[in-house]
mmCIF file of all heavy atoms in Angstrom:
data_model
loop_
_atom_site.group_PDB
_atom_site.id
_atom_site.type_symbol
_atom_site.label_atom_id
_atom_site.label_comp_id
_atom_site.label_asym_id
_atom_site.label_seq_id
_atom_site.Cartn_x
_atom_site.Cartn_y
_atom_site.Cartn_z
ATOM 1 N N LEU H 29 15.630 -5.757 7.875
ATOM 2 C CA LEU H 29 14.711 -6.843 8.218
ATOM 3 C C LEU H 29 14.633 -7.076 9.722
ATOM 4 O O LEU H 29 15.631 -6.948 10.437
ATOM 5 C CB LEU H 29 15.098 -8.122 7.485
ATOM 6 C CG LEU H 29 16.328 -8.919 7.885
ATOM 7 C CD1 LEU H 29 16.369 -10.234 7.116
ATOM 8 C CD2 LEU H 29 17.631 -8.164 7.630
ATOM 9 N N ARG H 30 13.416 -7.412 10.189
ATOM 10 C CA ARG H 30 13.154 -7.663 11.602
ATOM 11 C C ARG H 30 12.148 -8.801 11.747
ATOM 12 O O ARG H 30 11.325 -9.034 10.866
ATOM 13 C CB ARG H 30 12.563 -6.421 12.295
ATOM 14 C CG ARG H 30 13.508 -5.241 12.469
ATOM 15 C CD ARG H 30 14.695 -5.554 13.346
ATOM 16 N NE ARG H 30 15.468 -4.385 13.720
ATOM 17 C CZ ARG H 30 16.336 -3.726 12.944
ATOM 18 N NH1 ARG H 30 16.519 -4.123 11.696
ATOM 19 N NH2 ARG H 30 17.005 -2.683 13.392
ATOM 20 N N PRO H 31 12.179 -9.508 12.892
ATOM 21 C CA PRO H 31 11.208 -10.579 13.124
ATOM 22 C C PRO H 31 9.783 -10.047 13.265
ATOM 23 O O PRO H 31 9.569 -8.939 13.771
ATOM 24 C CB PRO H 31 11.671 -11.204 14.450
ATOM 25 C CG PRO H 31 13.053 -10.707 14.675
ATOM 26 C CD PRO H 31 13.141 -9.384 13.994
ATOM 27 N N THR H 32 8.836 -10.863 12.870
ATOM 28 C CA THR H 32 7.428 -10.517 13.051
ATOM 29 C C THR H 32 7.082 -10.185 14.504
ATOM 30 O O THR H 32 6.367 -9.214 14.764
ATOM 31 C CB THR H 32 6.542 -11.652 12.523
ATOM 32 O OG1 THR H 32 6.618 -11.654 11.093
ATOM 33 C CG2 THR H 32 5.104 -11.501 12.950
ATOM 34 N N PRO H 33 7.551 -10.961 15.507
ATOM 35 C CA PRO H 33 7.182 -10.612 16.882
ATOM 36 C C PRO H 33 7.691 -9.242 17.318
ATOM 37 O O PRO H 33 7.064 -8.598 18.156
ATOM 38 C CB PRO H 33 7.801 -11.734 17.721
ATOM 39 C CG PRO H 33 8.818 -12.385 16.842
ATOM 40 C CD PRO H 33 8.292 -12.241 15.452
ATOM 41 N N GLU H 34 8.797 -8.791 16.741
ATOM 42 C CA GLU H 34 9.263 -7.445 17.094
ATOM 43 C C GLU H 34 8.328 -6.390 16.515
ATOM 44 O O GLU H 34 8.138 -5.333 17.123
ATOM 45 C CB GLU H 34 10.706 -7.207 16.632
ATOM 46 C CG GLU H 34 11.243 -5.895 17.146
ATOM 47 C CD GLU H 34 12.727 -5.679 16.910
ATOM 48 O OE1 GLU H 34 13.424 -6.617 16.465
ATOM 49 O OE2 GLU H 34 13.214 -4.548 17.171
ATOM 50 N N LEU H 35 7.744 -6.673 15.356
ATOM 51 C CA LEU H 35 6.727 -5.767 14.820
ATOM 52 C C LEU H 35 5.546 -5.681 15.773
ATOM 53 O O LEU H 35 5.064 -4.587 16.092
ATOM 54 C CB LEU H 35 6.285 -6.251 13.439
ATOM 55 C CG LEU H 35 5.203 -5.498 12.652
ATOM 56 C CD1 LEU H 35 3.798 -5.811 13.089
ATOM 57 C CD2 LEU H 35 5.455 -4.005 12.628
ATOM 58 N N SER H 36 5.093 -6.848 16.254
ATOM 59 C CA SER H 36 3.981 -6.871 17.205
ATOM 60 C C SER H 36 4.319 -6.048 18.445
ATOM 61 O O SER H 36 3.485 -5.279 18.934
ATOM 62 C CB SER H 36 3.681 -8.323 17.594
ATOM 63 O OG SER H 36 2.712 -8.382 18.604
ATOM 64 N N PHE H 37 5.521 -6.224 18.950
ATOM 65 C CA PHE H 37 5.976 -5.451 20.110
ATOM 66 C C PHE H 37 5.993 -3.954 19.810
ATOM 67 O O PHE H 37 5.522 -3.134 20.600
ATOM 68 C CB PHE H 37 7.379 -5.924 20.514
ATOM 69 C CG PHE H 37 8.081 -5.028 21.490
ATOM 70 C CD1 PHE H 37 7.756 -5.047 22.835
ATOM 71 C CD2 PHE H 37 9.068 -4.150 21.061
ATOM 72 C CE1 PHE H 37 8.404 -4.212 23.744
ATOM 73 C CE2 PHE H 37 9.725 -3.314 21.950
ATOM 74 C CZ PHE H 37 9.386 -3.350 23.305
ATOM 75 N N ALA H 38 6.529 -3.585 18.633
ATOM 76 C CA ALA H 38 6.719 -2.177 18.295
ATOM 77 C C ALA H 38 5.395 -1.438 18.141
ATOM 78 O O ALA H 38 5.308 -0.241 18.459
ATOM 79 C CB ALA H 38 7.542 -2.057 17.013
ATOM 80 N N VAL H 39 4.363 -2.106 17.669
ATOM 81 C CA VAL H 39 3.058 -1.452 17.505
ATOM 82 C C VAL H 39 2.581 -0.880 18.831
ATOM 83 O O VAL H 39 2.163 0.285 18.919
ATOM 84 C CB VAL H 39 2.015 -2.442 16.932
ATOM 85 C CG1 VAL H 39 0.612 -1.864 17.037
ATOM 86 C CG2 VAL H 39 2.335 -2.775 15.485
ATOM 87 N N ARG H 40 2.656 -1.683 19.883
ATOM 88 C CA ARG H 40 2.219 -1.205 21.200
ATOM 89 C C ARG H 40 3.237 -0.260 21.820
ATOM 90 O O ARG H 40 2.877 0.711 22.491
ATOM 91 C CB ARG H 40 1.953 -2.398 22.106
ATOM 92 C CG ARG H 40 0.723 -3.187 21.692
ATOM 93 C CD ARG H 40 0.583 -4.517 22.391
ATOM 94 N NE ARG H 40 0.442 -4.369 23.821
ATOM 95 C CZ ARG H 40 1.263 -4.927 24.716
ATOM 96 N NH1 ARG H 40 2.285 -5.661 24.329
ATOM 97 N NH2 ARG H 40 1.046 -4.753 25.995
ATOM 98 N N GLU H 41 4.502 -0.561 21.610
ATOM 99 C CA GLU H 41 5.555 0.275 22.200
ATOM 100 C C GLU H 41 5.502 1.703 21.667
ATOM 101 O O GLU H 41 5.746 2.671 22.401
ATOM 102 C CB GLU H 41 6.927 -0.351 21.897
ATOM 103 C CG GLU H 41 8.085 0.289 22.627
ATOM 104 C CD GLU H 41 8.110 -0.004 24.113
ATOM 105 O OE1 GLU H 41 7.296 -0.829 24.602
ATOM 106 O OE2 GLU H 41 8.948 0.602 24.807
ATOM 107 N N LEU H 42 5.162 1.865 20.383
ATOM 108 C CA LEU H 42 5.109 3.193 19.761
ATOM 109 C C LEU H 42 3.704 3.789 19.780
ATOM 110 O O LEU H 42 3.502 4.907 19.304
ATOM 111 C CB LEU H 42 5.617 3.114 18.317
ATOM 112 C CG LEU H 42 7.107 2.779 18.157
ATOM 113 C CD1 LEU H 42 7.461 2.581 16.685
ATOM 114 C CD2 LEU H 42 7.980 3.868 18.770
ATOM 115 N N GLY H 43 2.734 3.042 20.313
ATOM 116 C CA GLY H 43 1.369 3.546 20.368
ATOM 117 C C GLY H 43 0.748 3.726 18.996
ATOM 118 O O GLY H 43 -0.064 4.642 18.784
ATOM 119 N N ALA H 44 1.105 2.877 18.038
ATOM 120 C CA ALA H 44 0.591 2.987 16.673
ATOM 121 C C ALA H 44 -0.833 2.449 16.590
ATOM 122 O O ALA H 44 -1.274 1.674 17.432
ATOM 123 C CB ALA H 44 1.502 2.232 15.709
ATOM 124 N N ILE H 45 -1.545 2.845 15.557
ATOM 125 C CA ILE H 45 -2.896 2.334 15.343
ATOM 126 C C ILE H 45 -2.864 0.963 14.690
ATOM 127 O O ILE H 45 -3.776 0.143 14.872
ATOM 128 C CB ILE H 45 -3.749 3.310 14.484
ATOM 129 C CG1 ILE H 45 -5.224 2.892 14.465
ATOM 130 C CG2 ILE H 45 -3.222 3.406 13.064
ATOM 131 C CD1 ILE H 45 -5.919 2.934 15.803
ATOM 132 N N ALA H 46 -1.799 0.686 13.923
ATOM 133 C CA ALA H 46 -1.748 -0.583 13.193
ATOM 134 C C ALA H 46 -0.299 -0.936 12.885
ATOM 135 O O ALA H 46 0.627 -0.140 13.106
ATOM 136 C CB ALA H 46 -2.560 -0.498 11.904
ATOM 137 N N GLY H 47 -0.124 -2.138 12.373
ATOM 138 C CA GLY H 47 1.193 -2.591 11.943
ATOM 139 C C GLY H 47 1.057 -3.427 10.687
ATOM 140 O O GLY H 47 0.017 -4.043 10.436
ATOM 141 N N ILE H 48 2.102 -3.424 9.900
ATOM 142 C CA ILE H 48 2.168 -4.268 8.702
ATOM 143 C C ILE H 48 3.496 -5.005 8.735
ATOM 144 O O ILE H 48 4.544 -4.400 8.999
ATOM 145 C CB ILE H 48 2.101 -3.431 7.403
ATOM 146 C CG1 ILE H 48 0.764 -2.701 7.285
ATOM 147 C CG2 ILE H 48 2.346 -4.308 6.174
ATOM 148 C CD1 ILE H 48 0.747 -1.636 6.185
ATOM 149 N N VAL H 49 3.469 -6.296 8.486
ATOM 150 C CA VAL H 49 4.722 -7.024 8.303
ATOM 151 C C VAL H 49 4.673 -7.710 6.950
ATOM 152 O O VAL H 49 3.701 -8.386 6.608
ATOM 153 C CB VAL H 49 5.005 -8.030 9.442
ATOM 154 C CG1 VAL H 49 3.923 -9.074 9.558
ATOM 155 C CG2 VAL H 49 6.359 -8.701 9.254
ATOM 156 N N VAL H 50 5.698 -7.469 6.150
ATOM 157 C CA VAL H 50 5.804 -8.070 4.827
ATOM 158 C C VAL H 50 6.559 -9.387 4.966
ATOM 159 O O VAL H 50 7.759 -9.388 5.243
ATOM 160 C CB VAL H 50 6.512 -7.134 3.839
ATOM 161 C CG1 VAL H 50 6.633 -7.798 2.469
ATOM 162 C CG2 VAL H 50 5.765 -5.815 3.721
ATOM 163 N N THR H 51 5.847 -10.486 4.810
ATOM 164 C CA THR H 51 6.429 -11.813 4.975
ATOM 165 C C THR H 51 5.476 -12.851 4.393
ATOM 166 O O THR H 51 4.269 -12.623 4.326
ATOM 167 C CB THR H 51 6.683 -12.140 6.458
ATOM 168 O OG1 THR H 51 7.247 -13.456 6.560
ATOM 169 C CG2 THR H 51 5.401 -12.106 7.264
ATOM 170 N N ALA H 52 6.033 -13.982 4.005
ATOM 171 C CA ALA H 52 5.205 -15.151 3.677
ATOM 172 C C ALA H 52 5.597 -16.290 4.600
ATOM 173 O O ALA H 52 5.491 -17.460 4.243
ATOM 174 C CB ALA H 52 5.358 -15.545 2.216
ATOM 175 N N SER H 53 6.099 -15.920 5.789
ATOM 176 C CA SER H 53 6.440 -16.892 6.813
ATOM 177 C C SER H 53 7.383 -17.943 6.260
ATOM 178 O O SER H 53 8.455 -17.623 5.768
ATOM 179 C CB SER H 53 5.158 -17.495 7.401
ATOM 180 O OG SER H 53 5.445 -18.302 8.506
ATOM 181 N N HIS H 54 6.976 -19.221 6.286
ATOM 182 C CA HIS H 54 7.864 -20.311 5.877
ATOM 183 C C HIS H 54 7.502 -20.857 4.503
ATOM 184 O O HIS H 54 7.913 -21.956 4.142
ATOM 185 C CB HIS H 54 7.798 -21.437 6.907
ATOM 186 C CG HIS H 54 6.406 -21.912 7.172
ATOM 187 N ND1 HIS H 54 5.534 -21.206 7.966
ATOM 188 C CD2 HIS H 54 5.726 -22.992 6.730
ATOM 189 C CE1 HIS H 54 4.378 -21.848 8.017
ATOM 190 N NE2 HIS H 54 4.458 -22.931 7.278
ATOM 191 N N ASN H 55 6.742 -20.100 3.709
ATOM 192 C CA ASN H 55 6.402 -20.548 2.355
ATOM 193 C C ASN H 55 7.637 -20.607 1.462
ATOM 194 O O ASN H 55 8.665 -19.998 1.765
ATOM 195 C CB ASN H 55 5.374 -19.601 1.736
ATOM 196 C CG ASN H 55 3.968 -19.891 2.208
ATOM 197 O OD1 ASN H 55 3.627 -19.625 3.362
ATOM 198 N ND2 ASN H 55 3.145 -20.433 1.347
ATOM 199 N N PRO H 56 7.542 -21.301 0.330
ATOM 200 C CA PRO H 56 8.671 -21.338 -0.614
ATOM 201 C C PRO H 56 9.062 -19.942 -1.104
ATOM 202 O O PRO H 56 8.305 -18.978 -0.956
ATOM 203 C CB PRO H 56 8.140 -22.204 -1.766
ATOM 204 C CG PRO H 56 7.098 -23.070 -1.135
ATOM 205 C CD PRO H 56 6.451 -22.213 -0.081
ATOM 206 N N ALA H 57 10.232 -19.877 -1.734
ATOM 207 C CA ALA H 57 10.854 -18.593 -2.066
ATOM 208 C C ALA H 57 10.031 -17.737 -3.016
ATOM 209 O O ALA H 57 10.157 -16.506 -3.014
ATOM 210 C CB ALA H 57 12.246 -18.828 -2.671
ATOM 211 N N GLU H 58 9.177 -18.345 -3.849
ATOM 212 C CA GLU H 58 8.425 -17.565 -4.829
ATOM 213 C C GLU H 58 7.254 -16.807 -4.214
ATOM 214 O O GLU H 58 6.595 -16.021 -4.893
ATOM 215 C CB GLU H 58 7.919 -18.468 -5.963
ATOM 216 C CG GLU H 58 6.928 -19.543 -5.558
ATOM 217 C CD GLU H 58 7.582 -20.883 -5.234
ATOM 218 O OE1 GLU H 58 8.766 -20.882 -4.832
ATOM 219 O OE2 GLU H 58 6.902 -21.922 -5.378
ATOM 220 N N TYR H 59 7.000 -16.995 -2.926
ATOM 221 C CA TYR H 59 5.879 -16.338 -2.244
ATOM 222 C C TYR H 59 6.325 -15.100 -1.464
ATOM 223 O O TYR H 59 7.469 -15.000 -1.014
ATOM 224 C CB TYR H 59 5.216 -17.298 -1.247
ATOM 225 C CG TYR H 59 4.316 -18.331 -1.874
ATOM 226 C CD1 TYR H 59 4.847 -19.474 -2.459
ATOM 227 C CD2 TYR H 59 2.935 -18.164 -1.884
ATOM 228 C CE1 TYR H 59 4.023 -20.432 -3.031
ATOM 229 C CE2 TYR H 59 2.100 -19.122 -2.456
ATOM 230 C CZ TYR H 59 2.655 -20.245 -3.034
ATOM 231 O OH TYR H 59 1.841 -21.187 -3.601
ATOM 232 N N ASN H 60 5.397 -14.176 -1.322
ATOM 233 C CA ASN H 60 5.521 -13.135 -0.312
ATOM 234 C C ASN H 60 4.124 -12.814 0.198
ATOM 235 O O ASN H 60 3.130 -13.309 -0.326
ATOM 236 C CB ASN H 60 6.228 -11.887 -0.835
ATOM 237 C CG ASN H 60 7.023 -11.189 0.262
ATOM 238 O OD1 ASN H 60 6.645 -11.214 1.436
ATOM 239 N ND2 ASN H 60 8.129 -10.565 -0.110
ATOM 240 N N GLY H 61 4.066 -12.000 1.233
ATOM 241 C CA GLY H 61 2.770 -11.714 1.846
ATOM 242 C C GLY H 61 2.805 -10.433 2.652
ATOM 243 O O GLY H 61 3.806 -9.706 2.692
ATOM 244 N N TYR H 62 1.703 -10.187 3.342
ATOM 245 C CA TYR H 62 1.464 -8.876 3.963
ATOM 246 C C TYR H 62 0.440 -9.096 5.062
ATOM 247 O O TYR H 62 -0.704 -9.429 4.781
ATOM 248 C CB TYR H 62 0.954 -7.990 2.843
ATOM 249 C CG TYR H 62 0.404 -6.623 3.136
ATOM 250 C CD1 TYR H 62 1.067 -5.502 2.643
ATOM 251 C CD2 TYR H 62 -0.802 -6.422 3.796
ATOM 252 C CE1 TYR H 62 0.537 -4.223 2.805
ATOM 253 C CE2 TYR H 62 -1.337 -5.156 3.981
ATOM 254 C CZ TYR H 62 -0.659 -4.059 3.471
ATOM 255 O OH TYR H 62 -1.176 -2.795 3.621
ATOM 256 N N LYS H 63 0.868 -9.020 6.319
ATOM 257 C CA LYS H 63 -0.037 -9.244 7.443
ATOM 258 C C LYS H 63 -0.322 -7.922 8.147
ATOM 259 O O LYS H 63 0.570 -7.088 8.311
ATOM 260 C CB LYS H 63 0.580 -10.233 8.441
ATOM 261 C CG LYS H 63 0.736 -11.637 7.896
ATOM 262 C CD LYS H 63 1.062 -12.647 8.979
ATOM 263 C CE LYS H 63 2.451 -12.479 9.540
ATOM 264 N NZ LYS H 63 2.840 -13.600 10.429
ATOM 265 N N VAL H 64 -1.563 -7.772 8.581
ATOM 266 C CA VAL H 64 -1.989 -6.527 9.237
ATOM 267 C C VAL H 64 -2.248 -6.775 10.721
ATOM 268 O O VAL H 64 -2.908 -7.750 11.097
ATOM 269 C CB VAL H 64 -3.260 -5.964 8.573
ATOM 270 C CG1 VAL H 64 -3.731 -4.701 9.301
ATOM 271 C CG2 VAL H 64 -2.988 -5.649 7.107
ATOM 272 N N TYR H 65 -1.730 -5.878 11.546
ATOM 273 C CA TYR H 65 -1.913 -5.905 13.001
ATOM 274 C C TYR H 65 -2.663 -4.652 13.418
ATOM 275 O O TYR H 65 -2.574 -3.614 12.764
ATOM 276 C CB TYR H 65 -0.552 -5.953 13.706
ATOM 277 C CG TYR H 65 0.181 -7.251 13.483
ATOM 278 C CD1 TYR H 65 0.709 -7.575 12.236
ATOM 279 C CD2 TYR H 65 0.333 -8.178 14.509
ATOM 280 C CE1 TYR H 65 1.360 -8.774 12.015
ATOM 281 C CE2 TYR H 65 0.989 -9.380 14.298
ATOM 282 C CZ TYR H 65 1.495 -9.674 13.049
ATOM 283 O OH TYR H 65 2.125 -10.866 12.841
ATOM 284 N N TRP H 66 -3.391 -4.761 14.547
ATOM 285 C CA TRP H 66 -4.080 -3.576 15.051
ATOM 286 C C TRP H 66 -3.337 -3.055 16.280
ATOM 287 O O TRP H 66 -2.267 -3.569 16.645
ATOM 288 C CB TRP H 66 -5.551 -3.884 15.319
ATOM 289 C CG TRP H 66 -6.419 -2.653 15.302
ATOM 290 C CD1 TRP H 66 -7.169 -2.164 16.312
ATOM 291 C CD2 TRP H 66 -6.585 -1.744 14.201
ATOM 292 N NE1 TRP H 66 -7.804 -1.011 15.926
ATOM 293 C CE2 TRP H 66 -7.457 -0.720 14.627
ATOM 294 C CE3 TRP H 66 -6.075 -1.679 12.899
ATOM 295 C CZ2 TRP H 66 -7.853 0.344 13.811
ATOM 296 C CZ3 TRP H 66 -6.462 -0.622 12.077
ATOM 297 C CH2 TRP H 66 -7.336 0.373 12.544
ATOM 298 N N GLU H 67 -3.875 -2.038 16.927
ATOM 299 C CA GLU H 67 -3.130 -1.311 17.952
ATOM 300 C C GLU H 67 -2.809 -2.139 19.191
ATOM 301 O O GLU H 67 -1.932 -1.774 19.975
ATOM 302 C CB GLU H 67 -3.875 -0.036 18.366
ATOM 303 C CG GLU H 67 -5.258 -0.268 18.945
ATOM 304 C CD GLU H 67 -5.993 1.036 19.205
ATOM 305 O OE1 GLU H 67 -5.319 2.053 19.486
ATOM 306 O OE2 GLU H 67 -7.225 1.049 19.129
ATOM 307 N N ASP H 68 -3.489 -3.281 19.373
ATOM 308 C CA ASP H 68 -3.172 -4.162 20.497
ATOM 309 C C ASP H 68 -1.965 -5.047 20.207
ATOM 310 O O ASP H 68 -1.539 -5.814 21.075
ATOM 311 C CB ASP H 68 -4.378 -5.025 20.857
ATOM 312 C CG ASP H 68 -4.815 -5.923 19.708
ATOM 313 O OD1 ASP H 68 -4.544 -5.571 18.543
ATOM 314 O OD2 ASP H 68 -5.425 -6.967 19.975
ATOM 315 N N GLY H 69 -1.419 -4.961 18.991
ATOM 316 C CA GLY H 69 -0.236 -5.740 18.636
ATOM 317 C C GLY H 69 -0.540 -7.114 18.090
ATOM 318 O O GLY H 69 0.366 -7.868 17.748
ATOM 319 N N ALA H 70 -1.823 -7.476 18.001
ATOM 320 C CA ALA H 70 -2.225 -8.776 17.453
ATOM 321 C C ALA H 70 -2.720 -8.597 16.024
ATOM 322 O O ALA H 70 -3.150 -7.508 15.625
ATOM 323 C CB ALA H 70 -3.321 -9.406 18.315
#
């Protein structure tokens, strides 16, 4: 496991086209989610 901001950093650091972070942030335990980032890290 890693923080979401490190994923954002890694996308640009590795020159990737996109990033995915599996998280539901601060939602209750029964939730999960999936956020997509583009090559600019946002």
Side-chain angles (χ1 to χ4, degrees):
L29 73 172
R30 291 297 191 283
T32 288
E34 187 171 352
L35 179 280
S36 174
F37 167 78
V39 168
R40 290 169 62 238
E41 189 71 7
L42 293 174
I45 190 64
I48 296 168
V49 60
V50 179
T51 180
S53 188
H54 54 283
N55 280 71
E58 64 267 27
Y59 283 80
N60 212 328
Y62 171 115
K63 293 192 290 189
V64 178
Y65 292 70
W66 203 241
E67 60 186 330
D68 61 335

